[in-house]
Amino acid sequence: KPKRPWSDPPALAGLLAGWRDAWTGRSVFRVTAGTDWVRIGLAGDSRPGIMLTSLAGAQLVFTHAGPLPRPLNSALDVTRGHPLSKPLANSAFGGCGMFPGDRIAAFRFENSAGSALYLLHQVFGTRGNTVLLDENAKLLWGRHRPPHALLAAVPPGEVWTHGTASADGDEVSPAALEQLTEVVAAARAGETRSRLERKLRTAQRLVDNLTRDFERAEKGETYRRRAETLAAHLHELSQGADAVTLADPRGEGDMEIPLDPALSPAANMEVWFKKARKADKGRDIIADRLARAQTDLEDISRAAEELIGALDGGLPPLDRLNNLQDWSREHVDLFPTATGRQTRGRYGPEEPA
């Protein structure tokens, strides 16, 4: 058996040959899709679902009856009103096959008007691709544009007879589902780690900045001592000096006090009292902000430790994905949902031709 059956051409050809034998003539009852995946549900016993994915490391084609495992299903975004839904609605599955010598899966449908449609899925390259063509090879939809040349023409006739269904059953789909889960789990974990690391750095910077601000605000006591020392020696001073050295009335030695020579000794005293009151007020505010910032930093650090445990590399990918989603729900306050208009380029991945 191949080590990577999801990318093995003979295994894929046998897989699609089996689908062709079992499902040709069935109706399409549902098409759902997201940014990097398409699922085509067929009518009939067990309602098989054909999955086409184009994630980096998971350019796959496989089948899965019924819903996907809950953690994986939750991790895959759904595009409402996807451009594939309308043209494939009420169509009939007319067959499928792999391109001989190329890892391109082709699916043929007949719409309600009796016209042929071709859904081509590329399972090679760094990102893969999926396109929908009409019977004249007009591009109706493409995930990435321009598509590979083989995805821009009606498939040759040998595609629809290529391959022989395996007598040993489907060895591709279970392995492909595991690979998709691994890729999605790794991607979501990487995204979460990156966001959490940014959050940690921001929280640490805030604590560091507030700590420095608090240290500066602590000078209020020095300012008050200067004002009190001036008050104790006010009768000895005259205007015009830019500094004086006086005995601290608290008995803590001499103190050098900067002065404004343009102000009277009494005015200089008031300046130092004012600075002391301002520093005291700022200190209380900064102390409160610093305490809250330190609590936030501790919470984020604790969440980061919990994330490490949730993503234990020894766990199966589905368990890691489930743990990550549980962790995200428990720490939803760390990453508030952003709202706003989404920007799309000229050729957005879900934009019809």
Side-chain angles (χ1 to χ4, degrees):
K1 292 184 179 180
K3 293 182 179 180
R4 295 163 55 91
W6 61 83
S7 62
D8 181 67
L12 290 171
L15 177 69
L16 268 68
W19 296 354
R20 184 170 63 234
D21 295 344
W23 301 339
T24 295
R26 294 195 183 193
S27 299
V28 174
F29 80 91
R30 181 179 300 152
V31 177
T32 53
T35 305
D36 299 302
W37 62 277
V38 176
R39 184 174 186 180
I40 301 167
L42 301 178
D45 295 343
S46 76
R47 290 198 171 184
I50 299 172
M51 282 290 296
L52 310 176
T53 66
S54 299
L55 290 79
Q59 299 91 355
L60 305 170
V61 52
F62 65 95
T63 184
H64 185 80
L68 292 171
R70 184 191 59 78
L72 180 60
N73 193 61
S74 299
L76 295 175
D77 66 300
V78 177
T79 302
R80 297 187 181 279
H82 192 279
L84 285 178
S85 300
K86 188 174 181 180
L88 293 180
N90 302 315
S91 64
F93 182 69
C96 62
M98 292 295 296
F99 277 51
D102 286 290
R103 283 184 294 166
I104 297 176
F107 301 87
R108 182 172 56 199
F109 301 89
E110 183 176 313
N111 64 19
S112 56
S115 300
L117 296 172
Y118 300 95
L119 187 67
L120 308 181
H121 183 62
Q122 171 187 328
V123 291
F124 62 86
T126 56
R127 62 180 184 176
N129 200 2
T130 310
V131 302
L132 182 68
L133 307 177
D134 70 8
E135 57 190 11
N136 298 312
K138 178 183 177 181
L139 181 64
L140 302 179
W141 173 82
R143 191 176 303 286
H144 304 297
R145 307 184 189 194
H148 188 280
L150 291 175
L151 275 69
V154 171
E158 59 264 29
V159 166
W160 312 114
T161 58
H162 179 57
T164 302
S166 172
D168 297 330
D170 182 0
E171 63 180 15
V172 174
S173 294
L177 179 61
E178 183 81 1
Q179 176 66 9
L180 176 61
T181 307
E182 177 64 53
V183 167
V184 171
R188 298 297 180 269
E191 294 165 3
T192 303
R193 285 194 190 99
S194 295
R195 295 178 69 188
L196 191 58
E197 287 169 1
R198 290 195 297 270
K199 194 90 173 176
L200 269 170
R201 288 195 297 269
T202 299
Q204 185 63 64
R205 279 198 303 270
L206 180 59
V207 168
D208 292 344
N209 291 338
L210 288 172
T211 298
R212 285 192 292 269
D213 291 344
F214 184 75
E215 289 171 353
R216 286 193 291 266
E218 283 283 84
K219 294 181 179 179
E221 180 60 24
T222 299
Y223 299 157
R224 178 168 289 98
R225 285 180 57 203
R226 289 175 179 175
E228 292 174 349
T229 299
L230 286 174
H233 296 275
L234 202 58
H235 62 284
E236 304 171 11
L237 304 175
S238 58
Q239 185 173 341
D242 57 6
V244 293
T245 300
L246 301 170
D248 188 337
R250 300 183 185 183
E252 298 182 9
D254 291 343
M255 173 178 291
E256 184 175 355
I257 305 172
L259 300 175
D260 184 346
L263 299 179
S264 68
N268 271 289
M269 178 190 67
E270 287 301 325
V271 166
W272 286 114
F273 272 128
K274 184 176 180 180
K275 286 184 176 181
R277 289 193 296 271
K278 184 177 180 181
D280 288 343
K281 181 179 180 181
R283 182 183 58 193
D284 293 341
I285 295 173
I286 294 170
D288 181 64
R289 291 186 61 200
L290 178 57
R292 285 187 279 115
Q294 289 171 330
T295 298
D296 289 343
L297 179 59
E298 291 169 1
D299 290 343
I300 298 171
S301 299
R302 187 162 44 251
E305 292 176 0
E306 294 172 3
L307 181 62
I308 293 173
L311 300 179
D312 182 353
L315 295 172
L318 193 62
D319 289 345
R320 279 186 275 124
L321 187 57
N322 184 67
N323 289 349
L324 176 60
Q325 291 169 351
D326 287 344
W327 179 94
S328 297
R329 283 188 287 270
E330 291 172 5
H331 300 285
V332 66
D333 55 310
L334 289 178
F335 307 122
T337 303
T339 58
R341 183 177 179 179
Q342 183 177 5
T343 302
R344 292 200 313 178
R346 181 183 176 190
Y347 293 113
E350 311 306 339
E351 181 181 349

